[in-house]
Structures are given as structure tokens and as C-alpha cells.
């Protein structure tokens, strides 16, 4: 009989504790998660920080936090807790929480690819001592990170890109700006007809030309063509994805270096931002200076998707208000229509150069 009583008491205890823990486990229990940085560069490492707080006198025997993490965020030291599933990594953390306690865990994560990633959806499951009953709760947290494209070293940057940036800085100091007029003088042999001031010439009866001033506010505009061929429609695919990613890294590097050198910098592309596919809105960040401009440029490049929103020559033709800028076009190809659009940009007072991309690398 004593054995039966022992079994009965054990069963009763197991059922009673299951009822108690099932009822109270998730009460006064909070979970939080955030990245150590709101933004970082591709290839860098950050921390994903988890925090659990049990604010009751009853312990939590075990609690499991499960979530799906984008596969571009790689756990460095906990691969046993992160398994590949469709669409990302399946990560879990197991906790034991004593009464009135708080536990914090730090997970080191490598940022594999630029983009905007959310890791805020978490499923919490708590159980009793014998796992007879479980309580579940879904948490939607503000836990995201913006991954900027990697900034290339000078050796990694193609020679044409280095030359263009250097010439853009020097040229704006030694050549007159076509849009800054400092006065009028008589025509001299060698002056171009573009500089003739026709109203002053008509008023004086003699040919007069405009005297150009020099700008101390150089402006660089990098334009990326996300089409790898004229026939490409919609999204970039296959091996061309890495080609475009390298193009974005080059653009980010040039803009960052231009800003560091005191220039205004801008970025444009016939691609669009995430969530805007099919809207007809392409990316265009007007040249400006300062640290906030650097954040705007890198944020746009992080959020852009490799989706052709407009045909490239159509996009170039739409830039009718772009004047007085040093433009570098990064593209895998050129066509007669693109060359015509580039010439129109030159007629608007811009300088226009090109950098040719080839599959897997930037052409030198």
C-alpha cells in the first residue's frame, strides 16, 4: 500500500505543479531583445542581446525563446542553436528563471549582407518540472538592424573610380562652373558660342561673353544601373546579384570618400526601395554635404532592392533638373539610347563619366 500511496502522491504532486506552473509561468514575465547597434556595415559583427525578467516569487522551471532569424545574420558561436529552415535560421534559447530574477544573454552575430533585417518576432514557451503542461505566448518586438554596404579599401576600388573622384575634386577648383556667372566682357578669339551673352550683345551692338566664376561646393552624383542588359526585366537574378552588390559597394565607397573630402555627394539608381516595387519611384538622393547626408546615402543603399523600376535610359532622361554636377554612371553595358541620355546630361552642364561593371567584378 505504501508504494501505491507514494505513486498516488507523486502523480498528485505532478498534476498540481503542472496546474500551478501552467497558470503562473508567463505572468509577470517579460522578454526583450535588441541589437547592440541600430546600423552597421556589411561584414561587421554586432551583438543580439536577449533579456528575461521574472518578477514573481514562483520560479520558471524552463522557458524557451524561439524565433526565425534572417539567414544573412550568422550566429558566430551558437550554431547548435541556430538551424537552417526555409527563409532563414531557426534560433532558440533555453532559460531557467529563479524567483525575482533577470537573465541577459549576448549573442555575437556576423552581418553577411547589406539590407534591413527584422528579428522581433519571438515565440515563448514555458513548462513545468515534468513538462506536463506548457504555456505559450507570441512577442512582437522592435528589434531590427540596418546593414550598410561594405566600404571598399583604396586597393579594392577600380582605378577609373579613383581617377574620377580625384578629378572631380580638382576640376571644380580649377575650372569655371557653367552655372556661376561673375560678369560680362568683350568677345575674344577662342570663346565658345555657349558663353555668348546674347542680350548684352544686342544691347551694346558688340559680342559679349559671360565671365564664369569658380565653385567651392563641388557636387558628385553616383548613378547605378541595376540592369545587367537592356533586355532585363524586373529583378536581378543568379550570378548578376553579386555584380550589382559590388556596384553598390563602389557607389557607397565613392560617396563616403567624396563627403570626407568636403564634396557634396548624392546617389541615384533605376532601382527602388524595399516595399516600393511597381510604384515607378526610383532612388534619388540629391547631393548634399555633412554627416547626416552620409547616413541618408548609406540608408538608401541598404534599403534598395535589385529591382529594375525603370529602363535605365528612361531614368536618365527623367533627370532634367540635374545641373552642375560631376556624374559617374556605374553600369554593365551601354547602348546608343544611354549615350544620347548622357549627352543630354552634359548639355545641362554636368560632367558625365562611366564605370563598366562585368560579372563578378568591376572592370578596370
Amino acid at each position: 500500500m505504501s508504494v501505491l500511496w507514494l505513486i498516488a502522491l507523486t502523480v498528485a504532486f505532478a498534476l498540481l505543479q503542472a496546474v500551478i506552473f501552467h497558470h503562473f509561468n508567463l505572468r509577470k514575465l517579460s522578454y526583450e531583445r535588441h541589437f547592440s547597434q541600430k546600423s552597421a556595415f556589411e561584414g561587421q559583427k554586432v551583438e543580439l542581446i536577449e533579456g528575461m525578467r521574472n518578477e514573481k516569487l514562483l520560479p520558471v522551471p524552463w522557458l524557451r525563446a524561439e524565433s526565425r532569424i534572417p539567414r544573412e545574420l550568422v550566429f558566430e558561436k551558437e550554431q547548435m542553436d541556430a538551424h537552417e529552415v526555409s527563409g532563414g535560421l531557426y534560433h532558440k534559447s533555453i532559460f531557467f528563471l529563479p524567483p525575482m530574477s533577470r537573465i541577459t544573454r549576448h549573442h555575437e552575430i556576423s552581418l553577411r549582407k547589406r539590407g534591413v533585417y527584422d528579428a522581433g518576432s519571438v515565440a515563448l514557451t514555458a513548462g513545468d518540472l515534468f513538462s506536463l503542461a506548457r504555456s505559450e505566448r507570441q512577442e512582437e518586438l522592435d528589434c531590427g538592424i540596418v546593414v550598410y554596404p561594405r566600404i571598399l579599401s583604396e586597393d579594392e576600388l577600380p582605378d577609373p573610380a579613383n581617377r574620377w573622384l580625384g578629378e572631380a575634386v580638382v576640376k571644380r577648383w580649377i575650372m569655371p562652373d557653367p552655372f556661376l556667372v561673375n560678369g560680362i566682357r568683350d568677345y575674344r578669339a577662342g570663346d565658345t558660342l555657349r558663353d555668348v551673352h546674347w542680350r548684352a550683345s544686342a544691347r551694346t551692338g558688340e559680342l559679349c561673353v559671360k565671365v564664369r566664376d569658380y565653385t567651392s561646393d563641388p557636387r558628385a552624383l553616383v548613378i547605378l544601373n541595376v540592369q545587367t542588359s537592356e533586355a532585363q526585366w524586373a529583378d536581378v537574378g543568379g550570378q548578376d546579384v553579386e555584380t550589382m552588390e559590388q556596384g553598390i559597394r563602389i557607389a557607397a565607397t565613392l560617396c563616403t570618400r567624396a563627403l570626407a573630402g568636403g564634396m557634396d555627394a548624392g546617389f541615384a539608381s533605376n532601382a527602388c526601395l524595399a516595399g516600393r516595387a511597381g510604384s515607378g519611384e526610383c532612388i534619388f538622393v540629391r547631393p548634399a554635404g555633412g554627416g547626416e547626408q552620409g547616413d541618408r546615402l548609406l540608408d538608401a543603399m541598404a534599403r534598395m532592392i535589385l529591382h529594375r523600376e525603370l529602363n535605365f535610359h528612361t531614368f536618365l532622361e527623367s533627370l532634367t533638373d540635374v545641373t552642375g554636377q560631376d556624374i559617374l554612371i556605374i553600369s554593365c553595358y551601354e547602348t546608343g539610347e544611354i549615350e544620347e541620355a548622357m549627352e543630354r546630361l552634359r548639355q545641362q552642364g554636368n560632367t558625365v563619366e562611366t564605370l563598366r561593371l562585368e560579372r563578378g567584378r568591376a572592370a578596370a
Side-chain angles (χ1 to χ4, degrees), residues 69-263:
I69 305 291
R71 65 176 70 247
E72 292 81 7
L73 309 181
V74 181
F75 286 82
E76 284 294 297
K77 301 177 181 178
E78 302 168 41
Q79 291 304 316
M80 293 301 294
D81 291 333
H83 306 285
E84 290 244 5
V85 293
S86 177
L89 293 171
Y90 179 76
H91 181 264
K92 64 180 179 180
S93 296
I94 306 295
F95 298 86
F96 163 70
L97 293 165
M100 306 300 294
S101 63
R102 176 183 175 86
I103 296 177
T104 302
R105 288 183 181 171
H106 298 255
H107 309 278
E108 190 177 45
I109 290 180
S110 290
L111 307 176
R112 181 182 294 175
K113 185 179 178 182
R114 68 161 190 96
V116 181
Y117 302 105
D118 177 67
S121 181
V122 181
L124 302 178
T125 305
D128 59 273
L129 294 170
F130 302 104
S131 296
L132 296 177
R134 299 183 180 187
S135 305
E136 297 180 350
R137 187 171 77 197
Q138 189 76 20
E139 296 275 357
E140 296 295 334
L141 307 170
D142 181 15
C143 180
I145 187 168
V146 180
V147 181
Y148 298 149
R150 182 170 65 89
I151 302 301
L152 303 177
S153 67
E154 189 168 341
D155 292 338
E156 292 177 293
L157 203 60
D159 288 339
N162 276 312
R163 288 196 299 270
W164 171 80
L165 186 58
E167 291 171 359
V169 174
V170 174
K171 183 166 48 183
R172 283 298 182 180
W173 290 91
I174 66 174
M175 292 185 64
D177 189 295
F179 293 91
L180 294 180
V181 179
N182 196 30
I184 300 172
R185 61 169 173 78
D186 292 337
Y187 177 85
R188 299 172 188 166
D191 289 335
T192 64
L193 290 178
R194 182 184 300 177
D195 287 337
V196 173
H197 195 299
W198 296 108
R199 290 185 180 178
S201 299
R203 186 171 61 251
T204 62
E206 300 288 340
L207 273 180
C208 300
V209 296
K210 303 169 187 175
V211 178
R212 305 292 182 181
D213 204 346
Y214 297 85
T215 179
S216 59
D217 185 23
R219 292 173 291 174
L221 177 63
V222 181
I223 302 177
L224 175 65
N225 178 13
V226 293
Q227 289 176 260
T228 54
S229 69
E230 188 69 11
Q232 180 195 311
W233 184 261
D235 295 342
V236 177
Q239 63 181 354
D240 294 326
V241 170
E242 179 53 31
T243 301
M244 286 298 109
E245 292 295 337
Q246 184 69 1
I248 295 171
R249 295 183 193 110
I250 292 171
T253 303
L254 289 173
C255 289
T256 301
R257 288 178 55 185
L259 290 170
M263 297 178 66

Side-chain angles (χ1 to χ4, degrees), residues 21 24-31 51-61 63 96-103:
F21 282 120
F24 290 103
N25 256 345
L26 295 181
R27 293 195 178 188
K28 295 186 178 181
L29 182 79
S30 60
Y31 175 89
M52 292 292 307
R53 187 190 297 273
N54 181 19
E55 298 181 297
K56 58 182 179 292
L57 295 176
L58 188 71
V60 179
L63 183 136
F96 163 70
L97 293 165
M100 306 300 294
S101 63
R102 176 183 175 86
I103 296 177

